[in-house]
Amino acid sequence: EGHVALVTGASSGIGAATAKALAAAGARVGLAARRRDKLAAIAQEIRAAGGEATAIGLDVSAKDSVKAGVDSLTRTFGPIDIVVNNAGLMPASDVAALKTDEWHEMVDVNLKGVLHVTAAVLPQMMARSTGHLVNVSSIAGRKVFKGLAVYCATKHAVAALSEGLRMELGAAHGIRVTCIQPGAVETELYERISDPGYRGQMESLKQEMEFLKAADIADAILFAVSAPPNVDMAELFVMPRTQAW
Ligand code: NJP
């Protein structure tokens, strides 16, 4: 209630659902991503429902863009209380295919994006001795899957980073850190897979099991940020009941 939240990757999927859930719970939400038209439409939907939201076009892989977005949200709504580091991509392929541009893009967005956003918000959180960083890792941050070696590497890194941040920021600075690790969620994430083999595998998985909805992960994030101030939900592993891998 009354908190200011920044959600990256808010133009679709888990980020959009989280922005809506936080706004419905009374937060003033900055929706960040590259596709400004989508952000504007979702922000408008939130406002029409009585919530407060603003769209922030930014690229998490670009330090200056992130800094400008954080400054803009702070000017609009005030100091940021909650950050959901959710932007990510997963263009699956075998390492042997040497799609090195995609490897670097995953590192730049999934890992460096979290670092850029964290660096941009930490000074104001530390100055106020409060804040909550929610980092969206993955089941791929605990296990390794074929075709997802680089994606898994970035998500393991986000899990490790989250735990390190939690230890350094909790007691010393009053800042909580939550790592969210979802299983399969029905979103646009799978549309980036260009490799026909892996795309086919994902399509057949959808026939075999019921994926989570983005709103299920938004609920978990809301649960973590709504915990009493002395409680840090350090890690939430949220799986579809039917996911047996
Ligand atoms: O996917 P999708 P999800 N700068 O594709 C944004 C993790 N996860 O909701 O920039 C800023 O609908 C992109 O926005 P745009 C996953 O790894 C998922 O599933 O406008 N934003 C869009 O809003 C990821 O970390 C599953 O194109 C950038 C968003 O990222 C998170 O959940 C399972 C950007 C992606 O939304 C959300 O993904 C799991 C950039 N450079 C973990 N590049 C799952 N779906 O099954 C991309 O374990 N975005």
Side-chain angles (χ1 to χ4, degrees):
E1 188 74 33
H3 283 157
V4 176
L6 170 65
V7 181
T8 71
S11 58
S12 61
I14 293 169
T18 301
K20 289 179 195 172
L22 290 171
R28 288 170 288 160
V29 183
L31 294 95
R34 294 164 306 175
R35 289 172 295 175
R36 290 166 192 258
D37 52 336
K38 293 227 170 207
L39 295 175
I42 298 162
Q44 180 53 36
E45 199 185 315
I46 289 173
R47 286 192 291 268
E52 287 190 73
T54 185
I56 303 163
L58 61 73
D59 180 340
V60 294
S61 68
K63 192 171 94 178
D64 293 346
S65 168
V66 169
K67 176 83 173 59
V70 165
D71 288 349
S72 150
L73 179 60
T74 309
R75 276 195 305 275
T76 307
F77 284 153
I80 299 169
D81 301 291
I82 298 165
V83 170
V84 184
N85 274 310
N86 164 77
L89 64 152
M90 189 190 75
S93 66
D94 286 327
V95 173
L98 289 172
K99 295 191 179 184
T100 54
D101 288 348
E102 291 185 351
W103 302 352
H104 290 293
E105 197 183 351
M106 280 187 276
V107 172
D108 287 345
V109 175
N110 300 2
L111 175 57
K112 286 189 175 176
V114 177
L115 293 173
H116 290 320
V117 174
T118 303
V121 297
L122 263 189
Q124 51 167 283
M125 287 187 171
M126 291 194 295
R128 299 169 65 227
S129 295
T130 185
H132 198 148
L133 302 172
V134 179
N135 295 337
V136 179
S137 168
S138 174
I139 183 176
R142 318 181 139 218
K143 301 183 183 183
V144 179
F145 302 100
K146 201 172 157 296
L148 292 176
V150 178
Y151 179 76
C152 291
T154 64
K155 292 300 185 179
H156 275 70
V158 169
L161 174 69
S162 304
E163 181 59 2
L165 289 171
R166 187 190 67 75
M167 290 192 290
E168 291 186 20
L169 298 176
H173 295 283
I175 298 167
R176 297 189 288 182
V177 182
T178 300
C179 181
I180 304 281
Q181 300 194 302
V185 187
E186 177 75 58
T187 69
E188 294 175 18
L189 192 75
Y190 301 92
E191 291 173 16
R192 270 294 305 268
I193 302 176
S194 54
D195 180 297
Y198 287 113
R199 209 181 163 97
Q201 266 184 29
M202 289 302 169
E203 288 310 316
S204 41
L205 271 177
K206 285 185 189 167
Q207 310 305 317
E208 287 164 25
M209 58 173 279
E210 189 185 346
F211 281 29
L212 292 176
K213 301 281 179 263
D216 296 321
I217 303 303
D219 285 347
I221 292 172
L222 192 60
F223 175 68
V225 300
S226 308
N230 63 315
V231 178
D232 190 339
M233 298 284 172
E235 197 171 80
L236 293 180
F237 183 39
V238 188
M239 296 291 286
R241 183 180 44 76
T242 51
Q243 183 170 340
W245 41 274

